[in-house]
Amino acid sequence: MPAQQKKIIFCIAGVLSFACALGTAAAIGTQLWVKGTILCKTGALLVNATSQELEKFIGKIQYGLFYGERVRQCGLGGRPFQFSFFPDLLKIIPASIHVSVILFCTVLIVFALVGAGFFMFNAFGSPYETLHGPVGLYLWSFIACSCGCLIMILFSSEVKIHHLSEKIANFKEGSFTFKTHSEHFANSFWIILVCSLVHFLNALLIRFAGFEFPFSKSKDSGTITGAADLMY
């Protein structure tokens, strides 16, 4: 492939990596990771509410990695309550998983920026180490993609397996019991999925530019090149 086309491909991959870093940073600061509704089970049982009357006992909840908001409905109108995970909910949530999600989000941002920088470096500069060549680009893309997958797996387990929404809904509730009526992942969660796919796409772009995947055997075994020869 001509050098000019390789530069264009690396520029595109660099821009995509930088956009993923910005998107992940924006996603961390929002409360749009999970949205759902919560049912005031105690209130509904007290009045033996029918299907139509249940609407008066269904509130809303949404939260992110640091804070969120719930609106409790127990037949007397909605009463909003804002909360933060640190330090309010630290004792009732799976703290190790939650902190791991935040940590992997940070790592994802860092390596997305590193990947973007090296993509641009390989597009306009001259490599002087192997890590500035295709092997490094594969490495940064793989790490960023893996972090995105781990974020989704850990956060999904926190929400679904550890019933995070119910724990939040019942926070500081003495006589009333709330149950999750419905919940779904919101925009910020899907941004992480898109970022993971983008980093996987970047690896394919490197291969499309004409560079073999790491640890793959070259057909021309008699040719041994240095680090500078890995580039165009």
Side-chain angles (χ1 to χ4, degrees), residues 31-32 45 81 95 115 119 138 192 198 230:
Q31 59 180 12
L32 300 177
L45 290 175
F81 173 75
F119 273 117
Y138 279 122
I192 303 299
V198 165
L230 288 174

Side-chain angles (χ1 to χ4, degrees), residues 54-112:
L54 280 179
E55 295 182 1
K56 297 180 180 180
F57 298 91
I58 296 178
K60 298 180 180 180
I61 186 173
Q62 66 177 19
Y63 55 90
L65 299 181
F66 293 97
Y67 62 97
E69 182 182 14
R70 76 183 187 200
V71 179
R72 63 195 299 271
Q73 291 268 14
C74 292
L76 299 175
R79 297 187 179 184
F81 173 75
Q82 294 186 350
F83 57 87
S84 61
F85 284 90
F86 305 98
D88 296 343
L89 303 176
L90 198 57
K91 294 182 179 180
I92 66 170
I93 65 172
S96 59
I97 297 178
H98 199 78
V99 172
S100 297
V101 172
I102 297 173
L103 177 62
F104 280 118
C105 284
T106 304
V107 175
L108 175 57
I109 294 172
V110 171
F111 279 97

Side-chain angles (χ1 to χ4, degrees), residues 4 23 149 153 159 192 211:
Q4 189 64 29
C149 294
I153 293 172
V159 174
I192 303 299
F211 300 103

Side-chain angles (χ1 to χ4, degrees), residues 27-28 30-34 63-65 101 148-157 159 184-196:
I28 291 177
T30 69
Q31 59 180 12
L32 300 177
W33 283 71
V34 174
Y63 55 90
L65 299 181
V101 172
C149 294
L150 286 173
I151 291 168
M152 291 185 294
I153 293 172
L154 290 174
F155 189 74
S156 299
S157 66
V159 174
H184 63 276
F185 295 109
N187 298 341
S188 294
F189 179 85
W190 299 119
I191 287 176
I192 303 299
L193 173 61
V194 171
C195 289
S196 300

Side-chain angles (χ1 to χ4, degrees), residues 157-177:
S157 66
E158 185 180 10
V159 174
K160 299 298 183 179
I161 298 177
H162 294 274
H163 307 289
L164 184 60
S165 297
E166 283 191 10
K167 291 181 178 179
I168 295 174
N170 290 284
F171 176 63
K172 289 186 177 180
E173 291 291 343
S175 57
F176 288 93
T177 301

